[in-house]
Every structure is written in C-alpha cells, then in structure tokens.
Amino acid sequence: MNDLATDNLFDTDFHSHLTRLRELSASLEVRGGWPEESWQTMCDSGITAWFIPEHFGGNPQPAQVTSIAYIELAAACLTTTFILTQRNAAVSRILSSDNESLKSELAHKLAHNDIFATVGISHLTTSRQHTKDPVLKAIPNESGWLLQGEIPWTTGVEAADIIVTGGIQPDGQQVLIALPTNLPGINIQPAPRLLALNESCTTSVTLDDVRVTSDMLLVGPCENVLAAGSTGGVTTSALALGAAQNSIRGIQTEAEKRPDLTPTAMELSSDLESLKSTLRQMISAPEHPTNGEERETLRKKSNSLVLRAAQAWLTASKGAGFLETHPASRAVREAQFFLVWSCPQNVMAAALAEFSCVSITR
Ligand SMILES: Cc1cc2nc3c(=O)[nH]c(=O)nc-3n(C[C@H](O)[C@H](O)[C@H](O)COP(=O)(O)OP(=O)(O)OC[C@H]3O[C@@H](n4cnc5c(N)ncnc54)[C@H](O)[C@@H]3O)c2cc1C
C-alpha cells in the first residue's frame, strides 16, 4: 500500500527491496543477532550510495527522495533503517572532514559497501552530559592521540570497520576521529538486552590506551567538533512517521473486518498525511528562518503520533496483540525508542507534558 507521492518517487526495484525488508523484518527478533540479510538487502537496493557524492562513487539523491525513502523503509523494517541512519551519520561526518585523503579513501569504500561505518558521538551531545570527567579522553602524543575511556552507545559496532567518535583533550578541545575497530585496546562490550531493536547490535565500547594516528583525524582539535557537518535534519522524525505508518496500516487491516475501527484509522491516517506534508514542505525550504523550531515541532508531533498509533493498534488487536510475537506488540515496544533516541531537551519536555496531562473527563 503506497501513497501516490511514493509511487511517483521510487521505481519498482526500490519497492521490491522494500517488500523483502518487510518480509525479513517479521522474523528478525526470532532470529536475533546482526541482521545480515536485511542489511545486505539495504546495500543491494543501492540506497547506501544515495548519501555519497558521485566523485566518490556514490549516487546522490535529493533530500526530498531520501526523507520519503526513510519513511517507507522504517515502515518496512525499523531496525535496519535505524542502522542505516547511524551509518549515514558516520558518512556525513566523514564527508564534512577537511582530511581529503582519508575522506576520499573512506567515502569510496562506503559508496561500494566495502566497509561499514557507524557513529559513537552521543557523549558529545546527549549522553552523560552531567558527568564532570570526559567520557572519552584524547591525550595528544607524538603520532596522534591516546584514547582512554568509553563510547557509551554505538550501533552495529560488531559489523563496523570504522567508528566515527570524538574525544576530549586535556585542554578541553575536541577531536573527531575515524577509529578503526581493529586497533589494540578496543573492547566491544556484549550488547545489553534492549526494550526493542536488539538486532541493531547497539552497545558500548571501552578504549584502553588506544593509539590512534593523526591520519585518522576528521575534525579538530577545536571547541565543538560536531558543529561542522551537522545535518540537524528530519531523519528522526521521518523514522517515527514510518513506524507510525506501519501501525496505522495494521489498524487499517483490522478495520477491513471491523468497521468500528475505521474512524480511528482515518483520524490517525489524516494526522500522518499532514505530518508527511509538513516534512515535505520543510525539505523543499531548508533555509527557511523558522526551520529549526519547525523541525522540533515536527519531531514532537511525530513522537506523539508513533506512540498513539502503536497503542491504538495494540488496543484494536486486543489480547492477541499482547503476545510478544504479535506485530502490534513489537510496534509498541519500538515506538518507545523515539522517547530516548537523539531526543533534545524540548522534545523530551513535550513528551513529559503529554504524559502528565490529565485529559480524561471523569
Ligand atoms: C537503541 C539505541 C541506539 C543508539 N545508538 C547510538 C549510536 O549508534 N550512536 C550514538 O552516538 N548514540 C546512540 N544512542 C544514544 C542516544 O542517541 C542518546 O544519546 C542516549 O539515548 C542518551 O541516553 P543516556 O542514557 O546515555 O543519557 P544520560 O544523560 O547519560 O543518562 C543516563 C542516566 O544518567 C542519569 N542522569 C541523567 N541526567 C542527569 C543529571 N542531570 N543529573 C544526574 N543524573 C543524571 C539518569 O539516571 C539517567 O538514567 C543510542 C541509543 C539507543 C537507546
């Protein structure tokens, strides 16, 4: 079931890969572990080249296409699409580097899926901001830096050749590094069980005196290594909308047998279409002065919709939906992810306000 805009944007090859991702997604949690086949499907579709310039061997597509693709991909398989976003976050940081030789080497390999890169930068943005000591220290030495500490979160690290990560020097300046995962002293911790998305293989990495040479430097030393190359984009909202779309389709399927569910399906669907249209407008005017604020509003509304849609699907599915193996049950668990993933203070505050608001009339 694809809307008209989506049909016009993508070819049949994209749709066949989407179908395959959806099929594989159904048993992802049962199989467990790194979703090799799903990730291979993503690579085979050519999508991984969309985010890399042509001169590095990529096949760049406009944001209008990639954002709508993110929605469709997330509706088909949230786990694999989330992995793609983390890989693309690494790609975007590599592409924004002034280290031309490193950029060229990594970008070519990434364009051809010869390597997999991920990102471990949350300790510079949203994670552990209340701790006094830097989570990851970068001590300069004659050949580069000695890294000591931890990368608290990194997705797909067991499959990764490179982790784009940041360390803090004793003088407070930051460095952003393309860290090869095979260096001595890098210890990938066993992945902890998560509420959902376990197959993203997200875990922490400890670094015990890891020697990294200066040829792996992407940005810095400077005050805020993440200032350059930040997409500040709408990807998180696009994924939330995709997950909501999956739940709404579930309700629509139930409504075919039970017309009493039709108004719910229609309400949620209209909410979804309106947010998709906001997203499309924002992408077509990325330099609009109020765009930052609008992006945040879109994220708040997308978060609210993905949670409501999943709960509505569970409600409509009744007790059967409560089985761990039911897709509605999984959708409810996956929807919670948007409450914690890359969640700025204002988005968190909006969610807390929504949860604490008494809206039921007694
Ligand atoms: C499934 C998943 C995948 C992820 N993948 C990646 C990835 O690939 N790359 C990446 O960079 N990031 C990733 N993240 C990280 C994510 O983007 C956020 O940075 C992260 O969820 C922030 O949570 P935190 O527990 O680290 O926050 P923290 O702020 O460190 O909070 C942890 C705990 O510290 C305490 N605390 C918090 N604030 C305070 C305070 N002010 N005072 C005292 N105590 C406090 C609380 O008890 C809290 O529970 C991922 C997260 C998840 C859940």
Side-chain angles (χ1 to χ4, degrees), residues 82-83 85-87 89 118-131 135 151-157 163-165 194-198 200-203 336-337 339-343 348:
F82 171 57
I83 292 168
T85 67
Q86 302 312 90
R87 178 263 188 197
T118 187
V119 73
I121 51 173
S122 66
H123 52 288
L124 300 180
T125 54
T126 46
S127 181
R128 314 266 180 97
Q129 297 305 293
H130 55 286
T131 57
V135 176
I151 301 170
W153 298 95
T154 177
T155 287
V157 67
I163 308 171
V164 171
T165 191
L194 305 170
L195 181 61
L197 302 169
N198 279 293
S200 69
C201 296
T202 300
T203 188
Q336 314 301 315
F337 175 56
L339 293 172
V340 298
W341 176 37
S342 206
C343 216
M348 215 171 107

Side-chain angles (χ1 to χ4, degrees), residues 205-228:
V205 178
T206 53
L207 293 97
D208 299 323
D209 291 337
V210 175
R211 288 182 181 277
V212 62
T213 46
S214 51
D215 55 336
M216 299 313 277
L217 180 71
L218 291 169
V219 183
C222 60
E223 242 170 53
N224 180 4
V225 285
L226 298 181

Side-chain angles (χ1 to χ4, degrees), residues 30-247:
V30 179
R31 287 197 308 274
W34 175 247
E36 188 65 51
E37 207 178 339
S38 301
W39 180 249
Q40 193 55 52
T41 303
M42 193 70 93
C43 295
D44 292 347
S45 72
I47 291 166
T48 46
W50 288 6
F51 304 86
I52 298 174
E54 224 164 327
H55 58 275
F56 292 133
N59 176 25
Q61 299 295 316
Q64 281 90 336
V65 173
T66 56
S67 299
I68 303 303
Y70 269 138
I71 296 178
E72 295 302 319
L73 291 165
C77 180
L78 186 62
T79 303
T80 316
T81 309
F82 171 57
I83 292 168
L84 177 70
T85 67
Q86 302 312 90
R87 178 263 188 197
N88 286 346
V91 168
S92 120
R93 297 287 166 191
I94 289 166
L95 292 175
S96 68
S97 171
D98 291 335
N99 184 342
E100 298 299 334
S101 58
L102 180 63
K103 172 161 67 178
S104 173
E105 183 197 336
L106 296 179
H108 273 104
K109 289 181 176 168
L110 285 159
H112 297 108
N113 299 311
D114 292 338
I115 58 167
F116 175 74
T118 187
V119 73
I121 51 173
S122 66
H123 52 288
L124 300 180
T125 54
T126 46
S127 181
R128 314 266 180 97
Q129 297 305 293
H130 55 286
T131 57
K132 269 192 276 149
D133 277 344
V135 176
L136 184 56
K137 291 179 188 162
I139 301 156
N141 60 19
E142 61 293 342
S143 56
W145 290 267
L146 193 66
L147 300 181
Q148 294 172 339
E150 190 190 3
I151 301 170
W153 298 95
T154 177
T155 287
V157 67
E158 71 172 58
D161 303 284
I162 294 285
I163 308 171
V164 171
T165 191
I168 302 184
Q169 296 189 151
D171 64 1
Q173 298 232 313
Q174 302 177 352
V175 284
L176 193 71
I177 284 165
L179 182 69
T181 52
N182 59 1
L183 292 182
I186 295 186
N187 297 301
I188 298 171
Q189 298 304 305
R193 290 293 298 168
L194 305 170
L195 181 61
L197 302 169
N198 279 293
E199 297 69 37
S200 69
C201 296
T202 300
T203 188
S204 60
V205 178
T206 53
L207 293 97
D208 299 323
D209 291 337
V210 175
R211 288 182 181 277
V212 62
T213 46
S214 51
D215 55 336
M216 299 313 277
L217 180 71
L218 291 169
V219 183
C222 60
E223 242 170 53
N224 180 4
V225 285
L226 298 181
S230 166
T231 53
V234 291
T235 304
T236 42
S237 298
L239 261 64
L241 293 179
Q245 180 165 297
N246 179 45
S247 293

Side-chain angles (χ1 to χ4, degrees), residues 212-327:
V212 62
T213 46
S214 51
D215 55 336
M216 299 313 277
L217 180 71
L218 291 169
V219 183
C222 60
E223 242 170 53
N224 180 4
V225 285
L226 298 181
S230 166
T231 53
V234 291
T235 304
T236 42
S237 298
L239 261 64
L241 293 179
Q245 180 165 297
N246 179 45
S247 293
I248 294 165
R249 282 176 184 164
I251 302 167
Q252 284 166 339
T253 305
E254 288 283 343
E256 284 165 17
K257 298 166 282 180
R258 297 155 57 197
D260 56 308
L261 295 173
T262 303
T264 306
M266 284 174 68
E267 281 290 331
L268 290 167
S269 189
S270 127
D271 211 352
L272 174 67
E273 289 314 315
S274 142
L275 290 175
K276 276 184 175 180
S277 142
T278 306
L279 185 141
R280 279 194 206 102
Q281 280 165 18
M282 281 173 55
I283 293 162
S284 52
E287 302 308 331
H288 193 281
T290 58
N291 220 268
E293 209 177 299
E294 285 172 10
R295 259 201 315 261
E296 203 166 85
T297 305
L298 176 68
R299 176 74 198 275
K300 289 175 192 169
K301 290 184 176 176
S302 305
N303 266 20
S304 171
L305 178 64
V306 68
L307 290 161
R308 288 183 288 112
Q311 286 175 336
W313 189 16
L314 175 64
T315 309
S317 307
K318 309 213 265 182
F322 203 66
L323 297 183
E324 198 185 342
T325 49
H326 195 285

